[in-house]
Amino acid sequence: MLNILRDITIEPGAITVPDEPHSDYERVRRIIAFISERWRDQPSLEAIADHVGLSTTHVHHLFRRWAGLSPKAFLQALTLDNAKALLSDSASVLDATYEVGLSGPARLHDLFVTHEAMTPGDYKAGGSGLTMRFGFHPSPFGEAVLIATDRGLAGLGFVDNGDRQAALSDLTRRWPKAEYVEDEAATAPLARRIFNPSQWQAEQPLRVVLIGTDFEVRVWQTLLRIPRDRATTYSDIARHIGNPSACRAVGAAVGKNPVSFVVPCHRVLGRSGALTGYHWGLTRKQAILGWEAGKALGGAAA
């Protein structure tokens, strides 16, 4: 993706998270949905603006402010050729991260994540004895819900159509016996760090606790090794966890990833480059990949 978009003018700037979490992203979501459905026709900026009922100037500046790249650049980023470029040598990308290892300055993920896993017994207990604090916060991809324990971030999901309870329930059902306490003051610092690239600092890594089966945790740990400007496939992940025939099980584990965006399940594509499924919706998956492309290009231009 970076090679194909390298000649496009980028205005990186600081991340903008609207005070009203549904406003900018809802407009951007409609733009992305329109582009996604018609990318083969290469719709003009005028056609996009007409569809969402905004002026071409508004659409252009809104999208640049949100992602750091123009709607035209995002349209190019959605083509199958670009998806295939993300997948280029996906297996060797994972090989390289395994060779580097997890100690010292190795970058697990662009957020500089450190992680630990709950024991299988903790997972089987359904969260019994755990106190989990949750809060709702604006993000570039719509309102987000975060869940944290004393040991680190345990859950991140997204609110659709203003239904906070559905988003929260999606996460809490994974650990039904835990005690849940609404505490936005506790989760707000995590939200600021996760969605603000200027706070992705190696010397202050984001702590994440992975709560799942042993197999699921191994899949999620592998996801953390995918660089921001690359992607991988279900089959490559299966091979790297030592079970090359487990593609379906890997797909199920990717779909159950409780820490969306941070553990980058959105960077898993079909072998052909197809985006395939995403627990929080394909439009949001496209939005995240496009946003990451803009931030990567902005960083390269800095």
Side-chain angles (χ1 to χ4, degrees):
M1 184 182 291
L2 294 182
N3 287 336
I4 294 172
L5 299 182
R6 65 176 177 267
D7 295 327
I8 296 171
T9 301
I10 300 297
E11 299 171 359
I15 185 173
T16 300
V17 176
D19 293 332
E20 178 57 47
H22 308 295
S23 55
D24 272 9
Y25 177 70
E26 178 55 30
R27 295 186 183 98
V28 168
R29 185 197 64 77
R30 292 175 59 206
I31 294 170
I32 292 171
F34 180 78
I35 292 174
S36 303
E37 293 168 0
R38 295 167 174 80
W39 65 267
R40 290 179 179 83
D41 301 326
Q42 298 290 293
S44 65
L45 182 62
E46 289 75 13
I48 296 170
D50 184 64
H51 177 76
V52 296
L54 299 172
S55 69
T56 55
T57 300
H58 192 168
V59 168
H60 180 81
H61 288 294
L62 169 67
F63 217 89
R64 273 200 181 275
R65 183 173 74 248
W66 177 80
L69 72 171
S70 68
K72 179 181 178 181
F74 187 82
L75 174 61
Q76 292 175 319
L78 284 182
T79 66
L80 187 60
D81 285 345
N82 280 275
K84 288 179 178 178
L86 284 176
L87 281 175
S88 177
D89 299 323
S90 65
S92 62
V93 167
L94 290 176
D95 288 336
T97 60
Y98 270 77
E99 291 170 5
V100 169
L102 304 182
S103 60
R107 285 170 40 163
L108 285 176
H109 178 41
D110 293 86
L111 294 180
F112 299 103
V113 172
T114 61
H115 68 274
E116 61 175 298
M118 290 284 194
T119 67
D122 288 331
Y123 171 69
K124 289 180 181 178
S128 178
L130 283 177
T131 298
M132 294 190 163
R133 303 183 183 280
F134 69 90
F136 295 90
H137 304 278
S139 89
F141 318 110
E143 191 173 34
V145 55
L146 278 70
I147 292 181
T149 73
D150 292 339
R151 294 161 66 176
L153 178 72
L156 194 162
F158 295 101
V159 177
D160 284 313
N161 302 316
D163 194 343
R164 286 182 166 188
Q165 187 55 53
L168 179 62
S169 296
D170 187 284
L171 295 176
T172 59
R173 64 179 172 79
R174 304 163 190 260
W175 316 291
K177 296 181 181 179
E179 178 186 359
Y180 292 93
V181 178
E182 186 168 9
D183 188 350
E184 291 194 352
T187 53
L190 292 172
R192 285 194 294 270
R193 291 186 62 189
I194 290 166
F195 297 116
N196 188 342
S198 70
Q199 296 194 32
W200 298 355
Q201 301 171 3
E203 62 272 17
Q204 293 182 325
L206 178 70
R207 294 173 56 206
V208 173
V209 56
L210 302 176
I211 309 175
T213 66
D214 178 66
F215 181 86
E216 289 169 347
V217 168
R218 283 190 290 146
V219 170
W220 302 337
Q221 289 171 333
T222 304
L223 295 178
L224 283 167
R225 302 172 188 268
I226 308 171
R228 185 172 63 183
D229 60 344
R230 302 301 292 274
T232 193
T233 66
Y234 300 102
S235 57
D236 283 333
I237 292 173
R239 184 174 62 83
H240 275 276
I241 64 173
N243 196 343
S245 64
C247 292
R248 285 185 178 273
V250 165
V254 170
K256 291 180 181 178
N257 168 30
V259 193
S260 183
F261 184 71
V262 174
V263 178
C265 51
H266 57 276
R267 296 184 195 153
V268 183
L269 307 179
R271 176 63 68 182
S272 68
L275 291 181
T276 66
Y278 185 60
H279 186 76
W280 301 103
L282 279 181
T283 298
R284 185 171 275 112
K285 182 172 184 172
Q286 292 167 322
I288 294 173
L289 289 170
W291 184 86
E292 287 185 337
K295 298 308 171 187
L297 284 165

